[in-house]
Amino acid sequence: MAKYSEAIERLIDEFTRLPGIGARSAERLAFHVLKSSQDEAMGLARAIEAVKTKIRPCRECFNIAEADLCAICADPRRDKAAICVVEQPKDLMALESTGVYRGVYHVLMGHIAPLEGVEPEDLTVDALVERVRRGPVREVILATNPTVAGDGTALHIASLLEPLKVQVTRLARGLPAGGQIEYANKSILADAISERRKI
Ligand SMILES: [Zn+2]
């Protein structure tokens, strides 16, 4: 098979590694970069560099942050006594887009899945319990996905929080079982959070 020059082949290779990008799309993207202006191409390179050098987990909630605290934790108008627990930053973004929630978050960075080797210690569960213990926290909303792993993770966290005398709620059903928060429709998500129930 014919090969392009080494630099182009390398760029195609890198694009091929991206999720959802096949060989032909990778080739198309590489040629797009080749054709684009110096400014555009370097802008892309610098944007990639910036997410890896400037971004870090929020000290409080583990959301994506560019400073010690993420924009939500740093916002004095957010209710710090309500913590919504999500699996991924993408879920947080989906819930934020509903505009109905005024509390803060805690990002677990996954869900408990012993068969895949993911134990509670691999997530930010300990930090959450510590955060609630430090308080004052009125309510913890478990907004893990309505999947077997998400439900299991929610139950595990609920049992850890039980001795701490904090109100623990779970997003209302209405979210399709087995579905994922990041793909849920905005109005369903808004209902799920407004009609959360005690567990
Ligand atoms: Zn934060």
Side-chain angles (χ1 to χ4, degrees):
M1 223 175 89
K3 289 240 171 207
Y4 297 111
S5 79
E6 199 187 320
I8 298 175
E9 285 293 339
R10 187 172 153 221
L11 186 57
I12 294 173
D13 259 12
E14 294 292 343
F15 280 134
T16 311
R17 280 176 230 238
L18 300 178
I21 304 290
R24 297 186 69 134
S25 302
E27 193 176 317
R28 202 165 58 238
L29 288 171
F31 277 91
H32 172 81
V33 172
L34 193 65
K35 274 189 299 184
S36 56
S37 71
Q38 185 80 4
D39 275 1
E40 277 176 333
M42 294 317 283
L44 173 65
R46 277 192 291 268
I48 292 171
E49 192 182 7
V51 294
K52 296 313 288 182
T53 52
K54 290 196 183 147
I55 299 286
R56 54 182 136 162
C58 170
R59 167 167 60 89
E60 195 69 6
C61 75
F62 298 90
N63 182 21
I64 295 165
E66 287 199 22
D68 218 22
L69 290 176
C70 71
I72 297 171
C73 288
D75 184 345
R77 291 163 303 180
R78 303 294 295 233
D79 176 7
K80 305 288 190 310
I83 300 177
C84 180
V85 179
V86 295
E87 295 183 24
Q88 301 287 352
K90 277 190 278 190
D91 302 329
L92 179 158
M93 294 304 289
L95 290 165
E96 275 300 280
S97 73
T98 67
V100 300
Y101 180 64
R102 302 307 305 158
V104 292
Y105 292 89
H106 190 92
V107 183
L108 293 171
M109 292 300 176
H111 50 237
I112 301 168
L115 293 179
E116 293 156 37
V118 185
E119 303 289 344
E121 308 84 80
D122 301 313
L123 308 174
T124 63
V125 174
D126 288 349
L128 171 66
V129 174
E130 188 44 44
R131 220 177 137 187
V132 174
R133 185 170 287 142
R134 217 168 50 227
V137 175
R138 181 183 69 247
E139 180 182 4
V140 174
I141 303 151
L142 298 172
T144 49
N145 284 316
T147 56
V148 172
D151 284 339
T153 304
L155 281 178
H156 178 78
I157 293 172
S159 70
L160 293 176
L161 295 178
E162 216 201 324
L164 300 180
K165 307 283 175 239
V166 61
Q167 165 142 278
V168 180
T169 54
R170 180 91 171 103
L171 287 191
R173 288 291 176 187
L175 281 174
Q180 290 194 313
I181 286 171
E182 64 174 291
Y183 303 121
N185 158 313
K186 238 186 231 185
S187 63
I188 290 177
L189 264 186
D191 287 349
I193 198 157
S194 304
E195 289 158 30
R196 58 190 185 265
R197 301 166 318 177
K198 264 193 195 181
I199 56 168

